[in-house]
Amino acid sequence: MSIHTLIIGAGGVGNVVAFKCAMNAETFGAITLASRTLSKCDAIAANVRANTGVEIATAKIDADDTEALIGLIRQTQADIVINVALPYQDLTIMDACIATGVDYLDTANYEHPDEAKFEYHEQWARDEAFREAGIMGLLGSGFDPGVTNVFIAYAQKHYFDTIETIDILDCNAGDHGYPFATNFNPEINLREVSAKGRYWQRNNNGDGEWIETEPMAIKQVWDYPEIGPRDSYLLYHEEMESLVKNIPGLQRIRFFMTFGESYLMHMKALENVGMLGIEPVEHHGQQIIPIEFLKTLLPDPASLGSRTQGKTNIGIVAHGLKDGQKRTIYIYQVSDHEQCYTEVMSQAVSYTTGVPAMIGAKLMLEKKWYETGVHNMEEFDPDPFMEELNRQGLPWEVMELESPEALRVE
Ligand code: NDP
């Protein structure tokens, strides 16, 4: 049976997914890239053809329109839909997959455009409908969420009887030379970092609770291998929501991301003048949403690739018990922005998201990861995914640490 793959979203991540699926064409078969702006799909298809020799089809789609999606899925005879549009489109695309009986994968959980709040609730609620349709939905198959969940499942499988604490550490030491730009969709990025921080821990009664902090209130300095010490701020991040359910015995989980002083200064100023607002404001008789207008002004993340230098390092520090002994394991992956660009014409943030999206879809098509219903990454055997990471451009390392604080400088 010949396979048909439909990729939705022609941004930075969509570009990487298109390249990587084409580089694994024996698995993905006939590939179609669809997005709101057809010219972006055509430009990516031309680059994919020039670099890999593989021809991919393109289509125009408004992924907010479930009926239009159903039509496109039928027309392309898709066996799987890889959703790398924006989190706002998750539910319409999932509903179209239910209606057509086609497997689904995404890299970010659903967000309502009018409310800066992201959670799995509405996607998990479709679990039964996915089971009834006999299809699988894989949620959050990017890097974080995505590979971080797989790293934790791998630590759990091979290094621990019980994981007690987890710190997820996300460092981007890339420099694009602009005073201010975001490495992926500015709206999603700025909504994420201007939100309150949150981490989870078990209280004295053994009940898990979320502790909220002011945005960027907790700063620690971690020493990232191949990069060095960087200011890292506690943020809420979506993979924690599924991990607290799926890692038994967990006592605490936190997420840290690095930000430079210049980035934070710009962000604070933009926030103070109202440019991060998501409510419409009237301007010369026209309604505009400040953060959408800001997106128009900022460099397109897809254009940063050719000018970004430096590395990313994303990993997890897990601490817990093995055979009654305490131990700490660090699993991490380092990518180089320029190397990523040389391979697929995208910087490392898009690369480290797009490659795992392709790998998740590959394992689903090969039925190595396959269970009907809606699932998160840590529910599956991590080993085949970890092998693919090494094979497909995201090699990782495991390090035994003396303590969970061993990489911390301040
Ligand atoms: P971009 O903004 O670069 O690209 C998004 C693409 O989706 C654009 O091509 C855009 O349209 C298209 N799109 C938006 N709305 C619609 C619509 N209604 N119908 C059809 N297409 C639409 O974002 P990125 O590529 O940087 O990010 C893609 C996804 O990856 C996001 O969901 C983001 O949150 C996620 N992500 C996940 C990470 C992880 O590690 N898990 C890390 C980074 C990102 P158009 O064709 O008009 O340009």
Side-chain angles (χ1 to χ4, degrees), residues 253-326:
I253 182 165
R254 305 180 299 187
F255 181 97
F256 290 90
M257 189 180 273
T258 61
F259 294 99
E261 267 177 42
S262 166
Y263 180 95
L264 291 181
M265 186 192 72
H266 278 84
M267 203 186 74
K268 198 75 218 157
L270 290 166
E271 190 178 18
N272 286 343
V273 297
M275 280 299 285
L276 304 187
I278 60 173
E279 295 296 327
V281 293
E282 187 153 320
H283 175 72
H284 291 308
Q286 263 198 328
Q287 296 279 313
I288 58 165
I289 296 175
I291 199 164
E292 283 183 4
F293 177 61
L294 177 62
K295 184 180 176 208
T296 306
L297 297 178
L298 290 176
D300 178 357
S303 73
L304 299 178
S306 58
R307 41 186 296 152
T308 305
Q309 297 174 331
K311 290 180 177 173
T312 61
N313 176 334
I314 313 177
I316 62 110
V317 176
H319 175 75
L321 291 173
K322 179 73 179 174
D323 301 328
Q325 302 289 315
K326 294 233 177 260

Side-chain angles (χ1 to χ4, degrees), residues 86 88 113 184-192 291-292 295:
L86 295 179
Y88 315 130
F184 64 97
N185 183 279
E187 207 181 321
I188 305 296
N189 186 210
L190 292 168
R191 279 165 70 137
E192 183 175 272
I291 199 164
E292 283 183 4
K295 184 180 176 208

Side-chain angles (χ1 to χ4, degrees), residues 90-107:
D90 287 1
L91 300 183
T92 46
I93 300 178
M94 287 178 88
D95 289 343
C97 286
I98 294 167
T100 50
V102 170
D103 293 325
Y104 168 88
L105 175 148
D106 66 31
T107 66

Side-chain angles (χ1 to χ4, degrees), residues 10-13 35-37 40 61-63 85 87 107 143-145 185 353:
V13 179
S35 199
R36 200 173 36 190
T37 310
K40 289 196 184 174
I61 185 73
D62 176 2
T107 66
F143 207 104
D144 47 340
N185 183 279
T353 309

Side-chain angles (χ1 to χ4, degrees), residues 108-121:
N109 66 11
Y110 174 66
E111 265 186 81
H112 195 281
D114 302 332
E115 201 187 354
K117 185 176 178 196
F118 43 95
E119 53 185 18
Y120 283 118
H121 172 70

